Amino acid sequence: MDKQDLRERTWDALDAAGEARFPFPPHGRIPNFAGADDAADRLASLPEWDDADVLKANPDAPQLPVRRRALREGKVVYMAQPRLRDERPFMKLDPAAIRDAAADRDAEPSAALDDAATVSKMDRYADPVGPDELPHVDLVVSGSVAVTETGARVGKGEGYSDLEYAVLRELGAVDDETTVATTVHELQVTDDASPDAHDVPMDLVVTPERVVRTDTAFERPDGVDWTALSDERIDEIPVLDRLR
């Protein structure tokens, strides 16, 4: 199935079933879904989560419970700014620094951690860093529109999640030891997707009901696929322009 047709089918299914959650409509975005908290809890029950000290997470609404839980448990979380628009495009959220900032403001530390995980309040607590400043990332959490049980992921179509991974791979911050996971609704699990060469396959697909260990046979990209990028797009993204 064409990727855009699959996206539309998935968005429609979540909407029609009443399983989509704010922001509405689910179309055109990584869709939030009923049970996102349960999926986050299920992810956090896994050994890959326990072993992870550093996460790179997408900024979308359905993964907010994942980001909040990670910060509460003392894990450092990195989120990319939209479209990698700045020279230092990754936002570092360090729970220890957030707690210190809360203490300086006589604020409740747990509330500060929850606020820091949101896109609207992240800037109050995060430090922007360049991709070459990231340590080794133990766990990447990606948002998805659709995903297969064999690990093929379909995003919303802009390609930034895969590009972020490729940049970090180019610089050695992610490697074959890095686990890549997504949290989704069961309605987002499909049989109708296959990855392109630049797509990052998922090791774990986590829904509110189950965990799928994909044992994926799809190859991870080993860096930036420069042939897939136009000069215009490279010029728009400072880190790509520098890496080139």
Side-chain angles (χ1 to χ4, degrees):
M1 176 180 288
D2 174 82
K3 282 187 176 181
Q4 188 58 31
D5 289 341
L6 177 56
R7 292 182 187 104
E8 295 292 343
R9 188 183 75 179
T10 304
W11 289 324
D12 288 346
L14 286 167
D15 203 14
E19 295 296 297
R21 293 294 181 267
F22 181 85
F24 296 105
H27 301 72
R29 67 179 83 246
I30 300 297
N32 199 6
F33 58 90
D37 287 337
D38 294 331
D41 290 345
R42 196 171 292 277
L43 174 62
S45 72
L46 301 178
E48 291 87 349
W49 177 272
D50 288 338
D51 292 341
D53 296 317
V54 178
L55 276 70
K56 185 262 178 187
N58 62 303
D60 302 280
Q63 283 70 49
L64 175 59
V66 175
R67 300 191 300 271
R68 281 180 165 164
R69 180 147 188 166
L71 293 176
R72 290 172 190 159
E73 294 186 13
K75 303 179 189 296
V76 176
V77 176
Y78 291 87
M79 286 196 288
Q81 295 183 15
R83 293 174 170 77
L84 297 172
R85 62 193 175 203
D86 294 329
E87 296 229 357
R88 304 174 77 191
F90 290 93
M91 303 300 282
K92 178 183 179 182
L93 295 169
D94 183 336
I98 293 167
R99 290 191 178 96
D100 288 344
D104 290 343
R105 300 172 185 171
D106 293 323
E108 175 59 41
S110 60
L113 291 170
D114 284 354
D115 284 349
T118 66
V119 173
S120 61
K121 298 179 180 178
M122 170 181 65
D123 288 348
R124 300 180 189 177
Y125 302 96
D127 292 321
V129 298
D132 47 356
E133 298 177 73
L134 268 70
H136 181 266
V137 176
D138 305 305
L139 176 63
V140 172
V141 179
S142 298
S144 303
V145 175
V147 64
T148 70
E149 293 185 17
T150 56
R153 169 190 170 273
V154 175
K156 61 185 178 183
E158 296 180 335
Y160 285 100
S161 178
D162 296 320
L163 187 55
E164 290 158 17
Y165 178 94
V167 167
L168 296 180
R169 181 76 185 228
E170 191 94 15
L171 295 168
V174 298
D175 54 27
D176 289 340
E177 301 304 312
T178 301
T179 300
V180 185
T182 188
T183 55
V184 292
H185 193 278
E186 283 288 341
L187 289 173
Q188 294 173 260
V189 182
T190 181
D191 295 325
D192 295 326
S194 58
D196 295 322
H198 61 269
D199 291 339
V200 180
M202 301 294 104
D203 300 306
L204 299 171
V205 176
V206 183
T207 80
E209 289 80 28
R210 60 181 173 139
V211 174
V212 178
R213 294 185 177 278
T214 66
D215 297 323
T216 184
F218 301 127
E219 292 289 330
R220 293 186 185 187
D222 58 6
V224 177
D225 181 0
W226 298 101
T227 64
L229 299 171
S230 66
D231 288 340
E232 291 77 13
R233 192 172 196 198
I234 293 171
D235 291 340
E236 290 170 355
I237 300 174
V239 66
L240 287 181
D241 194 36
R242 180 165 61 86
L243 282 175
R244 179 178 60 171

